[in-house]
Amino acid sequence: MPSTLEPKNSFVNSNLSTPEIATHYVDAAEFRRLIVSNRRMERADNFAPKMRGLRDLKTGELFLTDERWLIDGKR
């Protein structure tokens, strides 16, 4: 299964990113999938309050989710 698939539930926001690097808002399930994927990721939680983030070390892409979705488990 390729790990470079575009997340199904993402929204690209150009306000938080440079033109070369995309920022994706993903749901909790997609965020969890990214955490355990074989992509090299680092935590990136300092972009917005109540948001948790992962940055892909190869592409620089930023994936954000609402921290309440991770606790709630319903999204």
Side-chain angles (χ1 to χ4, degrees), residues 52-75:
R52 295 293 172 235
L54 293 171
R55 180 181 305 281
D56 186 309
L57 294 176
K58 184 176 180 182
T59 65
E61 288 176 284
L62 180 63
F63 299 91
L64 296 172
T65 194
D66 188 308
E67 67 183 13
R68 295 170 292 183
W69 295 354
L70 294 171
I71 296 168
D72 189 8
K74 294 180 183 175
R75 293 187 186 234

Side-chain angles (χ1 to χ4, degrees), residues 19-60:
E20 305 86 38
I21 300 172
T23 302
H24 306 277
Y25 290 94
V26 296
D27 64 14
E30 181 64 15
F31 192 84
R32 289 184 193 104
R33 189 191 70 75
L34 288 166
I35 290 172
V36 298
S37 72
N38 61 357
R39 296 172 76 164
R40 294 190 61 216
M41 306 292 258
E42 69 179 358
R43 293 286 298 267
D45 297 339
N46 299 327
F47 287 92
K50 299 193 184 274
M51 299 295 284
R52 295 293 172 235
L54 293 171
R55 180 181 305 281
D56 186 309
L57 294 176
K58 184 176 180 182
T59 65

Side-chain angles (χ1 to χ4, degrees), residues 12-25:
V12 178
N13 183 353
S14 60
N15 292 334
L16 287 178
S17 61
T18 64
E20 305 86 38
I21 300 172
T23 302
H24 306 277
Y25 290 94

